[in-house]
Amino acid sequence: MKFSSVPTLLSILLFSALPTYAIKFLLQAQRYPPPKCIWNAAHANTLVIVTANVGPGDNQRVDVEIVDSSANRNVYLSKKGIKSESRLAVTTHSEGEVGVCFKNTIEGDVSYDVAQKLSRVIELDVDIGADAVDYNAIANQESLSGLETEMRKLEGIVKEIGDELEYLKNREARFSSTNLSTNIRVQNFAWFSLFSLAGLGVWQIFHLRAFFKRKYLID
């Protein structure tokens, strides 16, 4: 397979390397709605751009909240009453998953039959890492050519790959450390059990010997 130009090759590499997190769903309205969350994996200190397009709907208020799956459950952003297209940007604080949570709340006096039919269409697009960077704005600001812009994109992708490899390396090291620690504990427990059984056996021998002597069964 031959490529007519370097920009074509770079474009193909970009489209094949960058993930796409886009989804469209129907969000049912309720008086006290539970959150509906869409989760995506993200590393620490990573830029996340959330673009939410909310369809029309009367007597409904759509709220959005961006959180993570860490033990602290960081809340990066909370916004009520979003309409039409909303673009939100956050930077993650820890490794894990980032969740975009929606609630569709019924407002005003609405009958039960009407309330059951209330819903809004949500179009969600989540860009993470290099995919979240606006390279067109960077190109205009720094007067970059098309090839230079593609190279800048590839640089971001390579950095993401390097960060991913470093993350996997650190995770493997943590797993190895946990495995080694577990093996040592199991080994120590096995030795403890062995010595305990041996000690219990010796104690039983002396105990039975003393018992038989008291009963004059042995000398």
Side-chain angles (χ1 to χ4, degrees):
M1 183 176 180
K2 296 182 179 180
F3 298 99
S4 58
S5 62
V6 175
T8 303
L9 174 60
L10 295 179
S11 299
I12 291 176
L13 288 174
L14 284 172
F15 283 116
S16 61
L18 290 177
T20 301
Y21 305 100
I23 187 173
K24 182 177 181 180
F25 58 93
L26 195 66
L27 187 63
Q28 186 69 33
Q30 300 182 32
R31 285 291 181 185
Y32 304 100
K36 181 180 179 63
C37 299
I38 309 299
W39 297 91
N40 293 287
H43 297 302
N45 301 316
T46 300
L47 176 64
V48 178
I49 300 293
V50 176
T51 304
N53 197 334
V54 181
D58 297 329
N59 301 109
Q60 302 171 70
R61 188 192 76 235
V62 176
D63 306 331
V64 63
E65 190 174 64
I66 302 178
V67 300
D68 66 17
S69 60
S70 65
N72 298 327
R73 193 168 177 82
N74 299 308
V75 178
Y76 298 107
L77 185 145
S78 182
K79 191 173 182 180
K80 293 186 176 182
I82 62 173
K83 299 177 181 178
S84 300
E85 183 173 296
S86 298
R87 188 175 175 86
L88 313 169
V90 300
T91 301
T92 59
H93 297 165
S94 58
E95 298 282 348
E97 292 186 324
V98 175
V100 184
C101 301
F102 295 93
K103 290 183 179 180
N104 190 7
T105 306
I106 298 176
E107 292 186 325
D109 296 330
V110 179
S111 65
Y112 177 80
D113 293 336
V114 175
Q116 295 300 308
K117 301 177 182 178
L118 292 179
S119 61
R120 300 180 79 169
V121 176
I122 307 294
E123 295 183 15
L124 178 65
D125 187 13
V126 181
D127 297 320
I128 300 174
D131 198 24
V133 179
D134 189 351
Y135 288 101
N136 292 328
I138 295 176
N140 293 332
Q141 183 179 2
E142 301 182 10
S143 301
L144 301 178
S145 65
L147 179 59
E148 289 173 330
T149 303
E150 299 298 323
M151 292 297 295
R152 185 69 66 86
K153 292 180 182 179
L154 280 179
E155 181 182 355
I157 294 174
V158 171
K159 183 179 182 301
E160 276 198 338
I161 294 175
D163 293 341
E164 181 71 21
L165 292 176
E166 184 66 23
Y167 168 74
L168 293 176
K169 180 181 177 181
N170 293 334
R171 188 174 67 172
E172 182 182 1
R174 291 198 302 270
F175 287 162
S176 298
S177 177
T178 302
N179 187 35
L180 179 62
S181 176
T182 303
N183 288 338
I184 292 175
R185 291 180 181 180
V186 171
Q187 184 179 8
N188 291 338
F189 179 76
W191 282 112
F192 173 77
S193 300
L194 180 61
F195 287 128
S196 297
L197 290 174
L200 181 60
V202 172
W203 176 82
Q204 285 182 335
I205 291 174
F206 283 101
H207 176 72
L208 291 175
R209 183 179 178 83
F211 174 79
F212 290 145
K213 280 186 176 183
R214 287 197 302 268
K215 298 298 183 179
Y216 302 102
L217 297 176
I218 61 174
D219 295 331

